[in-house]
Amino acid sequence: MNGLTATTRDRRLRWAVGLIAAMVYLATPELMRVSHPDSDHFPKLARAFLAGRISIPLSNDPGFRTNELIPSANGDAYYCAYPPLPAVLLMPFVALFGTAASCLWITRLMSAINVMLFDAVACRWSGTQKQPPLSLGARLAFDALFAFGTTTWHVARVGGDWQLAHAVTLAGGLLAAYELLGAARPIRLGACIAIVLLTRPTAALGCCFCLLPFIRRRNVHSLLKLMFIPGIACAMLGLYNAARFGSPFDFGYGRMILVGEGRELMLRYGQFHPHFILRNLFWFFAAPPWLMETGAIPIGYDPRGMSVFIATPALLYGVVALIRKWKEPLVRDSAISVALASVPLLLYFNTGYWQFGHRFSMDYLAAAMVLVMIGMGPKPSRLAVALVWLSVLIHLAGLWLPPTRIPVPEWITGTVA
């Protein structure tokens, strides 16, 4: 080991961290008491792409789920509501393994890769500081927080269509942060943003930290280079929409098959509406765990959401960064990215149900974790480390806590009158 270079040691540790995360993600799915049925629309769409189609054909399979699909005009097929990049990434797996390829395993693999990407971001961030590099303890604490103390763990466990999209989106955000902290090459930054656009378009707002440094410097040439590949991605999405629905701006969400309260809310208010702001503020940032009157475990959580600061108290160090180091451009840019990414989430008709904590935080988690690291510093205090492990314990407890819908006022639930 003494003969190894620092780069080789870093890489070996990164692979070890990723392997540990993968093993935990694979080992924990059955621990949670209630299993949320995962959806597998992306593998169906991947099979359609391999067959030269952009629609999912009708199926007589009794397990075929149509919820959140969009019927074609003549009713002979369905379109997948979500942007197509995750399905494109699944195509090799579907070609190799057929119907055995599922979102479940690919999401867990993608989540473990994200842990490695975050470790690379943390090390590169440390290298930009005028302080000693991260100690082994600090590095492992940051990695543990990201892998097991945020909603990353829950997303890996559930592993459905939504979760795969979150994992791919987060990978794009982490790659963008890694490039920004390094050479900040506009073309590569643009490619990272394109990954997000082709997966969760509104989440691209969480990558604004890529653009803001060039805007401050009024570097129009670099901005144009940065926006080149995202522009191509937008054009591809437009062509995809036009081929499906006749308009480049029509994503088809208004015709998506929904059931229950979600259907009623969509019909009455649409996909985005100010009506949802107070409700989403509550579920994203204020909702607590709940005391249970029955059951072996006296505490439960509402799957509509739980405050991100209760589920991951270490994220409060992002607020510390805002207070102590607001003058640093990276702090301001990351905060603006988090704020902008939150706007469509607060207007959205869905809180993220089913979830432990706030799964939509994956849209801005890359920027939020940069803020947390800045708030904690390269040498986290004992309090910071304690909050890291408290966050991990809370998410570990989330594997066993019983989910239950708690009666709350209508202004919170968004119930249709």
Side-chain angles (χ1 to χ4, degrees):
M1 289 294 290
N2 290 336
L4 296 177
T5 65
T7 301
T8 301
R9 288 195 296 270
D10 275 351
R11 288 176 179 171
R12 288 193 175 184
L13 180 57
R14 187 162 301 136
W15 278 100
V17 167
L19 180 60
I20 291 170
M23 292 171 63
V24 173
Y25 293 157
L26 292 171
T28 54
E30 303 307 321
L31 294 179
M32 201 168 182
R33 288 179 168 225
V34 177
S35 176
H36 178 60
D38 69 320
S39 54
D40 262 340
H41 295 329
F42 278 135
K44 296 184 184 73
L45 184 58
R47 288 195 287 274
F49 285 164
L50 289 170
R53 300 169 56 103
I54 60 172
S55 61
I56 299 170
L58 292 172
S59 173
N60 295 322
D61 183 354
F64 183 80
R65 294 176 62 256
T66 60
N67 190 37
E68 297 194 356
L69 290 176
I70 303 167
S72 63
N74 55 14
D76 65 346
Y78 295 95
Y79 295 110
C80 185
Y82 324 125
L85 182 58
V88 173
L89 297 177
L90 278 170
M91 288 172 67
F93 299 95
V94 170
L96 287 171
F97 304 110
T99 56
S102 79
C103 288
L104 196 66
W105 305 109
I106 306 305
T107 301
R108 291 169 190 161
L109 173 63
M110 192 74 246
S111 297
I113 291 172
N114 282 343
V115 174
M116 297 175 65
L117 290 176
F118 172 74
D119 179 79
V121 170
C123 291
R124 179 163 282 187
W125 165 77
S126 175
T128 66
Q129 305 302 298
K130 297 178 181 179
Q131 300 183 53
L134 285 180
S135 67
L136 178 61
R139 181 175 173 181
L140 293 178
F142 286 146
D143 289 344
L145 173 61
F146 177 85
F148 308 120
T150 69
T151 194
T152 302
W153 195 357
H154 175 78
V155 163
R157 191 210 71 81
V158 177
D161 290 312
W162 306 336
Q163 290 73 26
L164 178 57
H166 282 309
V168 174
T169 296
L170 181 55
L174 291 169
L175 286 168
Y178 182 75
E179 179 63 29
L180 182 71
L181 293 168
R185 290 158 286 194
I187 292 293
R188 294 196 180 189
L189 288 171
C192 298
I193 296 174
I195 291 172
V196 179
L197 282 169
L198 291 171
T199 307
R200 285 181 56 83
T202 57
L205 293 169
C207 294
C208 282
F209 56 77
C210 296
L211 285 76
L212 294 174
F214 299 105
I215 293 174
R216 273 195 304 274
R217 295 195 295 266
R218 300 181 182 179
N219 191 336
V220 176
H221 178 68
S222 292
L223 273 172
L224 291 174
K225 289 174 65 177
L226 190 154
M227 295 306 299
F228 177 69
I229 297 181
I232 293 175
C234 289
M236 292 171 64
L237 275 179
L239 291 172
Y240 182 60
N241 288 339
R244 296 186 300 167
F245 308 120
S247 169
F249 306 106
D250 186 358
F251 284 83
Y253 283 108
R255 299 180 295 281
M256 184 168 57
I257 298 173
L258 296 170
V259 296
E261 187 178 84
R263 179 177 180 273
E264 295 178 14
L265 292 171
M266 175 72 91
L267 288 174
R268 179 161 181 174
Y269 298 103
Q271 189 180 6
F272 299 96
H273 195 279
H275 172 82
F276 303 123
I277 293 176
L278 288 177
R279 179 198 67 159
N280 288 334
L281 279 171
F282 174 79
W283 291 117
F284 295 171
F285 303 115
W290 305 93
L291 292 176
M292 308 286 291
E293 295 182 358
T294 60
I297 302 177
I299 299 177
Y301 69 94
D302 194 310
R304 285 172 289 186
M306 187 168 70
S307 168
V308 67
F309 295 112
I310 294 176
T312 307
L315 287 180
L316 289 169
Y317 270 89
V319 180
V320 172
L322 298 181
I323 295 172
R324 293 181 177 175
K325 300 189 177 183
W326 176 253
K327 292 183 179 180
E328 292 187 11
L330 182 60
V331 171
R332 296 197 302 271
D333 294 350
S334 298
I336 291 170
S337 296
V338 171
L340 289 176
S342 298
V343 171
L345 300 179
L346 290 172
L347 295 168
Y348 195 51
F349 83 105
N350 180 6
T351 67
Y353 185 96
W354 181 285
Q355 62 188 333
F356 178 80
H358 170 30
R359 72 174 173 88
F360 286 149
S361 64
M362 298 281 277
D363 285 1
Y364 55 77
L365 188 59
M369 287 300 300
V370 169
L371 287 174
V372 169
M373 290 191 296
I374 294 173
M376 291 187 177
K379 294 184 177 180
S381 66
R382 290 181 180 180
L383 176 60
V385 173
L387 287 181
V388 165
W389 295 113
L390 177 60
S391 300
V392 172
L393 288 174
I394 290 172
H395 280 270
L396 177 62
L399 297 171
W400 283 278
L401 291 179
T404 183
R405 287 173 68 99
I406 305 297
V408 290
E410 289 186 0
W411 69 267
I412 291 176
T413 63
T415 301
V416 178

